Every structure is written in structure tokens, then in C-alpha cells.
Amino acid sequence: MFERKADAPLEKLWSFVDQPDNLVKWVGGRLDKFEVEVGGKYEICIAPQWNVMVSGTVLEYEPKRILHFTWDIPGWGNSPNLYGSAIKIEAWGEGAGSRIRFTHTVPYDAGREHLFAGAWHLHLDQLEELLKGNDRNYKIETSVLFEMVRKYMAKDFDARLSFYKHVLFIED
């Protein structure tokens, strides 16, 4: 889960969540279908260079508040099928700005938590740039993503190691 403050009013932030032309500017790829209503379907090509399609169904939608949808990715390259995940985007006003909470739930056995954390971190960085008015073409570079994955793996390792030290009464 990510939670970030935006120096933009809620209306502007939300336009990058439920407006197809704005959504693809930070999620990336090409949006082929986007029905923003409960039960609505969407299809997005998240990696046009490999023609990787993601599809899903809108589970919950409240304008300027919540967009919750399934996120199903068929296998491609070195990645197996990833079905059963979901994304929930929540937003609210906060003073002159706003706040966004982004949650991607992934089945435990998918083993992609560090990769998704790194990728969504970079996507949300792009959203911040768009809210500042920087509308450049966006693409995640593999080497940048790999470094972000390494950081999330290290953070996870440190947290788990600390937990086990506590459980086993080990002091440094």
C-alpha cells in the first residue's frame, strides 16, 4: 500500500484516476477499453513493446473517492499468469491539496511483491509529476525498476530479520 500527499485539488488528482487519457499517462501503455462503473470492464496494454494486456472488472466505484478493480495479467516472457489480484485507489481532499492511497493485493504465491512495489512506486512518482504539470512521455526503464526492486527487497529483509530477532530474544 502506498499513501501520498498531492499538491493538487482532489478534482485534478481524480481526473488521473477515472479519465482514460489521463490514467494511461501514469499507468503506462494503451487503454483499449475503460468502463468506469461497477461491473464495467477494462483492457490496458501495460507493456506495448511486448503486447502485455491487463484486463479486469470494476468492483467498486465512487467518483472522487474509490476505484477498485481486478487486475488480471496473462503470462508473458518470464512471468506466469497472475490472476486474482486487485487494485484499490482511494482519494480525499486535504486542505488545498489531496491524498491518494494505492493498494495492490496480490496472491501470496505469485511471489511478485517486490516487483509490484517497485513498479507502482515509479508509476506514482509519474503521477506526482503529472500533477505538477510535467506531461512528458513516460516509460519505466528496466534498470531503474530493478534498482527499486532491490531497495524493496532490502527493506523487507531488514524488517523480517528484526522480527525474528525479537521472536528469538536476540539482541544486537
Side-chain angles (χ1 to χ4, degrees):
M1 180 193 67
F2 295 90
E3 190 171 308
R4 295 197 181 181
K5 183 176 180 352
D7 291 327
L10 179 59
E11 292 75 18
K12 184 174 182 181
L13 171 65
W14 197 256
S15 77
F16 283 96
V17 174
D18 72 353
Q19 299 300 310
D21 291 342
N22 286 340
L23 179 67
V24 295
K25 289 179 182 178
W26 66 279
V27 173
R30 178 187 76 242
L31 199 56
D32 292 342
K33 179 193 271 187
F34 192 53
E35 301 168 349
V36 188
E37 60 189 31
V38 174
K41 306 291 185 193
Y42 75 89
E43 293 178 1
I44 185 170
C45 184
I46 58 168
Q49 66 273 35
W50 299 300
N51 199 33
V52 178
M53 298 299 292
V54 174
S55 61
T57 303
V58 175
L59 303 171
E60 184 178 8
Y61 177 65
E62 290 179 44
K64 298 180 193 168
R65 177 74 184 103
I66 297 172
L67 178 59
H68 185 199
F69 49 93
T70 61
W71 183 263
D72 294 326
I73 308 171
W76 61 277
N78 293 326
S79 296
N81 290 335
L82 181 58
Y83 297 110
S85 72
I87 291 176
K88 188 173 195 177
I89 303 171
E90 301 168 273
W92 58 94
E94 188 173 89
S98 53
R99 196 166 273 282
I100 186 170
R101 180 180 298 136
F102 183 95
T103 308
H104 186 175
T105 55
V106 180
Y108 178 76
D109 62 348
R112 299 284 191 270
E113 62 275 8
H114 303 104
L115 176 62
F116 282 122
W120 288 122
H121 184 117
L122 296 170
H123 284 294
L124 290 165
D125 285 352
Q126 173 61 12
L127 175 58
E128 285 181 15
E129 289 298 315
L130 289 163
L131 291 169
K132 292 177 190 173
N134 183 357
D135 198 7
R136 71 183 177 358
N137 191 7
Y138 180 66
K139 178 183 174 196
I140 292 179
E141 299 297 331
T142 306
S143 60
V144 174
L145 176 56
F146 182 72
E147 287 306 313
M148 189 62 67
V149 168
R150 287 169 56 130
K151 288 178 183 177
Y152 275 100
M153 288 177 69
K155 180 179 177 183
D156 187 44
F157 176 82
D158 291 344
R160 289 181 188 205
L161 187 62
S162 178
F163 169 77
Y164 287 121
K165 283 181 178 179
H166 172 76
V167 168
L168 298 170
F169 304 102
I170 294 174
E171 296 183 27
D172 290 328

